[in-house]
Amino acid sequence: MNIKYISVAAFLAFALAGCSTKRESVLRYVDPNIGTAHSRWFFYTPAAVPYGMAKLAPSTNGSYGNPSGWEAVGYDTRQNSIEGFVHFHEWQVGGVNYMPTTGAIVTKPGDLERKTPGYRSGFDRKNQVAEPGYYKVLLDDYHITAELTATKRVGFQRYTFPKNDRSHIILDIGNKQGESDIVTDASIKMLDDTHFEGFVSTYPKYVKIYDLQGKVNMYFYGELSKKPESVTAFTADQVSDGRNTAEGKGAGLVLNYHTTDNETIEVKTGLSYTSTINAKANFLAEAKGLSFDKAKQQAQEIWQEQLGKIAVEDNDVQNKTKFYTGLFHALLGRGIASDVNGDYPKHGGQTGQLPAQGNNALKAEFINSDAIWGGFWNITQLWALSYPEWYGSFVNTELQLYKDKGWFGDGIANSEYVSGVGTNFVGLAVAGAYNTGIRNYDVDLAYEAVKANELNYKNRAVGSGKLDIKAFLEHGYVPYFDQTGRDFVTDSTGSNFAGSHTLEYSYSAFAAAQMAKAMGKTADYNRFIKLSNGWRYIFNPQNKLMQPKRANGSFIEKFDPYQPWRGFQEGNAVQYTFYVPQNPAGLINAIGKDNFNKRLDSIFTVSEKLGFGGGKTIDAFAGINSIYNHGNQPNLHISWLFNFSGKPWLTQKWTRAIGQEFYGTEPIHGYGYGQDEDQGQLGSWYVINALGLFDVKGFTDLRPIIELGSPLFTKAMVTLGNGKKLTIETRNNSKQNVYIQSATFNGKALDNCWLYRDELMKGGELKFVMGSRPNTSWGTKVPPPSAQ
């Protein structure tokens, strides 16, 4: 090649081609279509950047709503028509839908089966492309190609039209989308020939339940690449030609065009949860003068950089696809809610300002978040490993909420409480951040809030959960009462989820105890550590199971350990009996080591036949009456308990098997069949499990540890959160060779199946020799520390 005459563009392409041989693009291993049957609202949003506010996606059923507030809705691989492309996709938050069409003006999407007229279009998945940061599809009814991409707070849509004198872009603003439920108000108006702005206010189901005076507002400011020939306004019951404003429920605009063949029209939309002024400011900061192609390139470079923090080498494409798709969902799950100027949404539609921050490396955003229930066995461990800025953002968000409202919020949507679980593990997650050295916040305030979360009950907000904490403090356990005539009730006297609440509060009390100890608060430590043994009150020594107790101290009668919901939220006594992560040794001793190992091993042997969940039933709760249910949070740690019971090779066996069987690479079988992928939790579990690194206690120990499992890949190169590098290598690894024969860390033999996390975070080389048969003498000399 004659370099003298090469163009700048050609030179860059040549240079990048040379670099590509050195650093593989991991985007090819991300398949957003995996698991898109019965998937949650956030799950299929390819046109986004990690933790972006703008999460653009096609919607097949987003306007249908979900009566219980949480059901799978948005995009389903079993459905073959698209009703639009939506900008906001968060827990309880959804809205701002666009749809390009041709022909007569239609302002309603129509039903899924297309029996009633609507603007939705059929499509063929052969003509669909979904990648991190980009989506493309051909709308068959209109012969229009739609493309989506995004920056953090700006959505980009590009439509390629056929020749038609009746081409349209429908801006459908005032109708419910996904989990947002009813729209209470909406407005959209053209500001000039090519700019528009507006808002939509919603009242999601979980806000109605947990934060009665709350509201969720979404604002937008948009720019068109071409002036429309005319504008038509519409509401729920009226269509008005020649108007360029619409207000109220069902509000929207139709932009009418004459298009030539293959003409492209672009729409860029700045988003905000605080105001149209900030939506415009976000637009100007991130997207002014930015083309669609450049935005797509930028988004995919960000994904490459973030996903590439964990680089794996292996010849098994399926495993790499599972791994990077899981990591993709982990980095997609939660989204920023703050603006470029630091404004964030406060309760009731107010606006707050985030405090000034001095640590740019860990600059905290205000984020929306589903409950952290079970998140300490997946997402927080991943954050602490390589993405501490997002762990810091989570903690700072919750502390801001504590300052604003007086309580943590387990799940939040624009500062409104939307916890569907009610046990509030935020304090535990904060303690985990503190103990792993993530401290870009006021640590004294953090401890105050953690303590309040565990002990305070007077005037406690419903949405902050733990409404039965008074009873737990008085009895040492949560008393059970029957739910006859009143489902899912928790109050100051007890709960019909008394068994799981007792176990959960015991665990979170342990986390608070460790934070107290670290900060020299001895009296608090002693109180919390006593509470952490609450599980012993409901352990029945006769059947060796957790069995709820009534306030008089008697175990509940007619006890069926397989029955879900009676005393145990989203599970049963068999599953929850192993829910003592803070003291595995205590539980093992209570059950008896041999009995413990036989029972747990047999649970996995039986569960393997059902794919470690609810079999092939497509439903989020398909596995809650099973003896093990990987599709939901309460079980996610128990395959790692063999490290504590003297048989680490069984942890190696079963964690590898779960990754192989439960997780798939197809649209139907992705995260099990009856998956409940709460904002990236199951994907995160796969990632850390495949690395062979886990902590049953969720980093709540005073000095956290890392347990070792069965690393999946030939080599994994991890960029740690402190900037250091960790390499995990295996020799003789294969589908059959799942057992550790020996291990070294930085050249020194590892005789135990665990090491202290602070040692691992120094980086270096972790090496394993694998084999097809268990080495029953490896890793058994000193069990992981249990009670600290």
Side-chain angles (χ1 to χ4, degrees):
M1 181 178 290
N2 189 337
I3 299 296
K4 181 178 179 181
Y5 297 104
I6 192 171
S7 68
V8 173
F11 178 76
L12 286 173
F14 174 73
L16 288 172
C19 290
S20 67
T21 61
K22 297 177 182 178
R23 188 184 183 196
E24 178 185 40
S25 171
V26 298
L27 302 192
R28 63 187 288 239
Y29 298 111
V30 176
D31 183 358
N33 297 299
I34 289 172
T36 47
H38 192 80
S39 62
R40 298 286 288 274
W41 177 236
F42 95 93
F43 187 84
Y44 191 76
T45 52
V49 296
Y51 297 98
M53 179 186 296
K55 286 189 173 75
L56 278 65
S59 180
T60 62
N61 63 8
S63 67
Y64 278 44
N66 46 3
S68 300
W70 64 269
E71 292 96 336
V73 67
Y75 179 94
D76 194 312
T77 191
R78 297 167 295 177
Q79 299 165 352
N80 297 307
S81 64
I82 288 173
E83 62 181 17
F85 304 97
V86 184
H87 288 73
F88 290 99
H89 284 83
E90 297 294 349
W91 170 235
Q92 299 295 293
V93 182
V96 186
N97 178 47
Y98 299 169
M99 183 65 173
T101 66
T102 60
I105 293 175
V106 181
T107 60
K108 296 185 185 302
D111 64 279
L112 191 62
E113 293 75 23
R114 308 176 72 197
K115 294 176 181 177
T116 58
Y119 59 66
R120 68 167 59 239
S121 171
F123 73 107
D124 189 328
R125 285 183 171 79
K126 294 177 183 176
N127 299 318
Q128 174 181 260
V129 176
E131 302 169 348
Y134 178 68
Y135 177 82
K136 177 182 180 180
V137 70
L138 175 65
L139 300 172
D140 290 343
D141 290 25
Y142 307 117
H143 306 289
I144 296 170
T145 297
E147 297 173 273
L148 316 175
T149 191
T151 63
K152 275 187 181 181
R153 301 174 179 87
V154 181
F156 290 68
Q157 301 202 27
R158 179 166 67 187
Y159 313 122
T160 302
F161 285 90
K163 178 177 171 56
N164 200 301
D165 290 338
R166 294 195 298 171
S167 293
H168 317 286
I169 299 174
I170 303 169
L171 309 178
D172 189 346
I173 306 306
N175 292 299
K176 64 185 176 184
Q177 289 292 335
E179 297 169 354
S180 67
D181 206 33
I182 62 170
V183 170
T184 58
D185 198 9
S187 173
I188 183 170
K189 64 181 177 181
M190 296 297 298
L191 298 171
D192 54 37
D193 289 342
T194 57
H195 295 89
F196 58 90
E197 71 176 20
F199 73 90
V200 54
S201 294
T202 64
Y203 196 31
K205 179 69 175 281
Y206 276 36
V207 174
K208 293 178 200 175
I209 297 172
Y210 298 107
D211 217 342
L212 197 60
Q213 303 304 314
K215 61 172 67 174
V216 173
N217 295 332
M218 292 159 273
Y219 300 88
F220 56 92
Y221 169 88
E223 179 179 85
L224 306 166
S225 65
K226 182 182 179 181
K227 171 187 173 182
E229 299 287 334
S230 64
V231 179
T232 300
F234 64 91
T235 58
D237 51 14
Q238 188 175 6
V239 178
S240 305
D241 290 327
R243 288 194 59 196
N244 63 3
T245 65
E247 295 180 349
K249 295 180 180 181
L253 297 178
V254 182
L255 312 176
N256 306 307
Y257 291 95
H258 299 157
T259 55
T260 59
D261 193 36
N262 289 324
E263 180 176 359
T264 62
I265 300 176
E266 297 184 16
V267 191
K268 293 192 286 190
T269 309
L271 307 176
S272 173
Y273 291 117
T274 61
S275 68
T276 54
I277 292 173
N278 279 349
K280 182 178 180 180
N282 292 341
F283 173 90
L284 293 174
E286 295 183 6
K288 183 175 175 58
L290 188 66
S291 69
F292 183 96
D293 288 332
K294 185 64 178 174
K296 174 192 171 186
Q297 178 188 347
Q298 182 177 291
Q300 296 199 315
E301 286 173 352
I302 292 170
W303 276 112
Q304 172 67 28
E305 188 269 332
Q306 291 294 304
L307 293 168
K309 287 186 176 183
I310 308 178
V312 299
E313 294 179 3
D314 204 85
N315 293 325
D316 193 317
V317 172
Q318 186 181 65
N319 285 342
K320 291 171 81 171
T321 299
K322 290 181 184 180
F323 183 88
Y324 281 112
T325 303
L327 185 53
F328 167 73
H329 284 125
L331 301 181
L332 188 67
R334 286 149 177 82
I336 59 174
S338 46
D339 299 314
V340 291
N341 64 0
D343 284 355
Y344 71 94
K346 287 180 70 174
H347 173 65
Q350 301 176 75
T351 298
Q353 174 69 35
L354 294 177
Q357 299 170 50
N359 188 345
N360 285 330
L362 288 176
K363 182 182 178 184
E365 303 276 9
F366 193 90
I367 63 174
N368 281 328
S369 177
D370 196 352
I372 206 69
W373 197 57
F376 30 80
W377 293 321
N378 37 68
I379 189 69
T380 66
Q381 296 196 36
L382 182 60
W383 282 342
L385 183 72
S386 294
Y387 304 93
E389 66 274 23
W390 293 111
Y391 207 165
S393 284
F394 175 82
V395 174
N396 276 281
T397 296
E398 290 291 346
L399 290 179
Q400 189 64 54
L401 204 67
Y402 176 75
K403 288 188 284 186
D404 292 343
K405 303 178 75 169
W407 304 94
F408 284 146
D410 201 15
I412 56 169
N414 289 11
S415 289
E416 313 299 6
Y417 295 132
V418 288
S419 172
V421 182
T423 48
N424 198 329
F425 273 111
V426 171
L428 185 149
V430 172
Y434 182 87
N435 291 341
T436 54
I438 298 169
R439 301 179 184 178
N440 60 327
Y441 46 84
D442 182 337
V443 296
D444 292 324
L445 178 69
Y447 179 75
E448 174 191 313
V450 168
K451 183 177 178 179
N453 196 49
E454 299 304 314
L455 300 178
N456 292 1
Y457 51 83
K458 291 183 179 179
N459 302 314
R460 187 157 189 142
V462 172
S464 70
K466 292 183 182 286
L467 298 183
D468 47 357
I469 200 69
K470 181 175 185 287
F472 177 70
L473 297 174
E474 290 176 350
H475 295 270
Y477 65 95
V478 176
Y480 174 85
F481 51 62
D482 295 296
Q483 57 192 52
T484 305
R486 51 176 192 169
D487 290 338
F488 304 171
V489 177
T490 296
D491 61 29
S492 62
T493 66
S495 174
N496 49 49
F497 293 148
S500 54
H501 285 194
T502 296
L503 299 170
E504 290 169 324
Y505 299 166
S506 299
Y507 179 26
S508 60
F510 173 86
Q514 303 310 305
M515 190 174 182
K517 191 171 187 178
M519 299 180 73
K521 301 179 186 297
T522 304
D524 285 352
Y525 167 80
N526 290 332
R527 184 178 186 187
F528 282 128
I529 210 69
K530 182 179 180 181
L531 290 170
S532 77
N533 284 301
W535 64 274
R536 295 184 184 276
Y537 286 97
I538 66 166
F539 180 80
N540 187 334
Q542 301 304 312
N543 56 27
K544 308 290 187 182
L545 291 166
M546 298 297 174
Q547 186 169 340
K549 274 185 177 179
R550 299 191 181 277
N552 64 8
S554 64
F555 288 112
I556 62 170
E557 62 290 332
K558 297 180 181 178
F559 175 58
D560 177 0
Y562 299 96
Q563 180 183 357
W565 301 111
R566 188 180 184 224
F568 300 95
Q569 188 161 10
E570 298 183 25
N572 57 40
V574 175
Q575 294 174 7
Y576 269 100
T577 288
F578 298 95
Y579 203 115
V580 190
Q582 73 274 19
N583 190 0
L587 178 65
I588 292 164
N589 290 336
I591 294 176
K593 183 181 282 189
D594 288 344
N595 188 14
F596 178 93
N597 283 323
K598 288 176 183 176
R599 186 195 295 185
L600 193 56
D601 189 37
S602 66
I603 281 174
F604 287 112
T605 301
V606 172
S607 298
E608 187 173 24
K609 298 172 184 176
L610 291 174
F612 299 104
K616 295 186 177 182
T617 302
I618 301 176
D619 184 272
F621 291 129
I624 62 169
N625 60 351
S626 303
I627 54 177
Y628 176 78
N629 180 22
H630 196 81
N632 210 347
Q633 283 75 9
N635 279 176
L636 294 181
H637 68 297
I638 73 171
S639 56
W640 289 82
L641 289 174
F642 295 107
N643 281 340
F644 291 86
S645 61
K647 294 195 174 184
W649 60 92
L650 291 178
T651 280
Q652 296 154 32
K653 173 184 177 178
W654 291 119
T655 57
R656 181 75 78 95
I658 292 167
Q660 180 66 31
E661 300 297 329
F662 179 83
Y663 293 86
T665 55
E666 306 84 35
I668 300 293
H669 175 202
Y671 294 80
Y673 291 86
Q675 57 94 0
D676 190 18
E677 168 64 320
D678 284 337
Q679 290 195 301
Q681 289 197 29
L682 295 178
S684 300
W685 190 95
Y686 186 91
V687 170
I688 57 177
N689 183 68
L691 295 175
L693 307 175
F694 192 83
D695 180 26
V696 162
K697 299 189 186 184
F699 299 150
T700 57
D701 270 332
L702 182 65
R703 188 184 181 190
I705 65 168
I706 290 284
E707 295 155 54
L708 304 176
S710 179
L712 182 61
F713 298 106
T714 303
K715 189 175 184 179
M717 292 155 287
V718 183
T719 300
L720 300 172
N722 55 19
K724 296 180 180 179
K725 306 291 184 182
L726 172 69
T727 300
I728 304 169
E729 286 190 62
T730 61
R731 201 173 76 205
N732 301 332
N733 206 343
S734 69
K735 285 186 177 181
Q736 293 73 36
N737 293 359
V738 304
Y739 298 105
I740 298 172
Q741 305 301 300
S742 62
T744 62
F745 182 50
N746 290 333
K748 294 182 179 180
L750 271 180
D751 296 321
N752 298 324
C753 60
W754 63 279
L755 69 164
Y756 285 110
R757 182 182 179 275
D758 52 14
E759 294 174 352
L760 185 82
M761 294 299 287
K762 293 175 184 177
E765 295 182 334
L766 186 57
K767 295 184 177 182
F768 298 88
V769 177
M770 310 299 290
S772 61
R773 294 183 179 181
N775 178 355
T776 58
S777 63
W778 183 84
T780 60
K781 186 175 182 181
V782 180
S786 190
Q788 286 192 29

